[in-house]
Amino acid sequence: MNKDQSGDSLYTKAAHDPYDTRHHGAINVPVYQNSLFAFETHEQFDLAMQNVLGHHVYSRGNNPTVRNLEERLAEMEGGEDAKCFASGMAAITAAVLSIVQQGDHIVCVNHAYGPTREFLGSYLVKFGIETTFVDGTALSNWEEAIRPNTKLMYLESPTTMTFELQDLRACAQLAASKGIKTIIDNTWSTPCHLLPISLGINLVVHSITKYISGHSDCLGGVVIGSMELMTRLSNSEYMLFGGIMTPQTAALVMRGLRTLPLRMERHQRSGMLVAEHISHQPYAVHVHHPGLPMHPQHELALKQLKGFSSLFSFESLEPLEKLKAWATKLQYFKIGVSWGGFESLVNVNVVQSGDTVRHIVRLYVGLEDPQDLIRDLDDAAAVTLL
């Protein structure tokens, strides 16, 4: 695993806790199951109330267990500060609303996460905020969509379902030249494979529910960025919306975080093996995985990413019912939403663009032996597809 500018590798950052020495030698940070924190003198209380986020006063603002996780995630991502939320969508909506206001315009990459698209394209309309969705593979599309009132470019690289990339450095430079802020959903790559802040992106969001936690047992989100932007978000959207992460969830996430670099190595290796196998199957007409040489943006992927995760998709001309029967026949791939845990997942989707209808199967490769997964895919296909 590559080292960053501080010299510490992600393995060390994930496993080592340099922040808090108040825990009496406890290896794991205790779960501070406190709603509030008391003070010995009113003078101490008054001082703390002047900076609620800088002191432990009330757990909606600052809880020691959650704060420890935030500091570790900020360091791993290369940001100055971070705030954790109750879900990925809580983090995304808070990040967006910390940037825009009534009358502003957003440019968002097409094929972004469905709830994100709904929030930007439908929900924000009633507050007078408009969004233009663009094919993010060409910088010219971003340039053409920018208006005088554009305040935010929202990126997701690779995108949901079709796994298209954006040139993040170029997008960041374009945005900065016009006084526009940038946000990216970095859930797919994790800090192990992509550090968008180092490329000029302003805010990074993650669904902690996925790889960072890695055990399919909790929900969470995080926003990471500069101290200036994070202070603005912390004082407003974080404190006022109340979509905070609980200390119990933070403890679960820290447990998963320690093995994130190790798990991502396995996910990359297994995901590539399964994707390569699928690419040679007659039922798959196109495999969407930026790690494959056949991906139209493979060169950009090699330039921009340090590695690849194990979520990808393929298109098929097989009838929808046959594909669903194949998915149902699989033994190791469970049918379900989300991803990033230990278990492999599959779901069959119908994607319509104008008059064109595509059947897209999304596969998530978990921590099982990839050869067992490949055999499972082939056995189910022999019965239902071939």
Side-chain angles (χ1 to χ4, degrees):
M1 189 68 62
N2 293 335
K3 293 184 177 182
D4 70 357
Q5 295 177 351
S6 71
D8 291 334
S9 74
L10 279 178
Y11 289 109
T12 301
K13 289 183 177 182
H16 183 64
D17 176 14
Y19 296 106
D20 208 329
T21 58
R22 297 175 298 158
H23 307 298
H24 307 289
I27 292 297
N28 291 313
V29 177
V31 177
Y32 280 83
Q33 193 167 321
N34 297 41
S35 60
L36 76 156
F37 301 84
F39 297 84
E40 293 183 1
T41 69
H42 214 288
E43 181 181 7
Q44 293 175 342
F45 174 73
D46 291 341
L47 181 64
M49 288 299 292
Q50 295 175 20
N51 181 15
V52 176
L53 289 170
H55 294 82
H56 299 304
V57 177
Y58 188 57
S59 278
R60 179 163 60 81
N62 197 348
N63 177 276
T65 311
V66 178
R67 188 58 188 156
N68 186 276
L69 175 62
E70 291 169 344
E71 291 171 330
R72 298 178 75 169
L73 289 172
E75 183 180 29
M76 290 181 71
E77 191 71 52
E80 293 177 346
D81 198 13
K83 295 307 292 184
C84 285
F85 292 81
S87 69
M89 278 308 299
I92 289 169
T93 53
V96 170
L97 290 173
S98 73
I99 301 296
V100 298
Q101 60 184 2
Q102 186 178 21
D104 288 346
H105 174 248
I106 300 169
V107 183
C108 178
V109 63
N110 210 350
H111 304 304
Y113 178 52
T116 301
R117 282 183 55 90
E118 184 177 356
F119 175 69
L120 297 180
S122 300
Y123 188 83
L124 287 183
V125 172
K126 66 181 182 179
F127 297 104
I129 301 169
E130 295 183 347
T131 300
T132 300
F133 295 95
V134 300
D135 177 349
T137 58
L139 188 65
S140 59
N141 296 332
W142 294 95
E143 291 179 302
E144 292 171 4
I146 290 175
R147 304 175 186 173
N149 63 331
T150 301
K151 293 298 188 293
L152 174 64
M153 287 170 51
Y154 189 94
L155 305 103
E156 184 179 301
S157 186
T159 56
T160 296
M161 204 61 69
T162 53
F163 299 91
E164 298 164 334
L165 305 178
Q166 300 103 63
D167 187 328
L168 300 185
R169 190 181 296 277
C171 286
Q173 290 174 348
L174 170 64
S177 71
K178 297 183 179 295
I180 298 170
K181 293 294 187 280
T182 49
I183 298 175
I184 185 171
D185 185 332
N186 195 33
T187 305
W188 188 88
S189 295
T190 80
C192 296
H193 296 329
L194 179 64
L195 296 174
I197 292 173
S198 69
L199 301 177
I201 301 300
N202 297 118
L203 290 177
V204 176
V205 297
H206 287 272
S207 171
I208 288 176
T209 311
K210 311 298 193 297
Y211 283 124
I212 288 177
S213 174
H215 290 77
S216 299
D217 56 5
C218 62
L219 298 175
V222 66
V223 184
I224 305 165
S226 68
M227 190 61 69
E228 177 187 359
L229 292 178
M230 291 306 304
T231 298
R232 182 198 306 176
L233 181 150
S234 298
N235 288 333
S236 297
E237 288 74 23
Y238 182 79
M239 288 294 290
L240 297 178
F241 293 173
I244 64 167
M245 176 177 286
T246 67
Q248 294 86 351
T249 296
L252 286 174
V253 174
M254 278 192 284
R255 179 203 60 186
L257 187 64
R258 292 187 181 94
T259 61
L260 176 64
L262 288 170
R263 288 185 287 106
M264 293 310 295
E265 284 188 359
R266 177 58 180 259
H267 284 304
Q268 173 177 258
R269 184 167 60 251
S270 297
M272 286 299 303
L273 286 172
V274 175
E276 288 172 358
H277 180 79
I278 290 287
S279 70
H280 297 296
Q281 303 311 304
Y283 54 80
V285 295
H286 186 71
V287 180
H288 300 286
H289 190 306
L292 294 177
M294 67 181 66
H295 191 282
Q297 295 174 292
H298 183 61
E299 289 187 9
L300 176 60
L302 294 178
K303 173 185 174 183
Q304 191 163 269
L305 297 168
K306 298 178 182 178
F308 307 99
S309 71
S310 61
L311 181 76
F312 67 95
S313 68
F314 69 88
E315 295 186 35
S316 180
L317 299 177
E318 295 288 337
L320 185 62
E321 291 309 313
K322 273 195 169 186
L323 290 171
K324 289 182 177 180
W326 169 76
T328 301
K329 190 70 175 177
L330 293 169
Q331 298 298 305
Y332 293 126
F333 289 84
K334 304 301 181 184
I335 299 171
V337 297
S338 195
W339 43 275
F342 54 86
E343 74 289 353
S344 292
L345 296 169
V346 61
N347 57 67
V348 180
N349 304 269
V350 178
V351 177
Q352 185 160 358
S353 236
D355 296 330
T356 303
V357 177
R358 296 186 292 171
H359 297 161
I360 299 183
V361 178
R362 193 181 75 173
L363 287 173
Y364 167 69
V365 178
L367 296 177
E368 302 92 343
D369 189 305
Q371 296 306 322
D372 290 336
L373 297 177
I374 289 171
R375 185 177 67 253
D376 188 25
L377 294 167
D378 289 348
D379 289 348
V383 177
T384 58
L385 297 177
L386 305 178

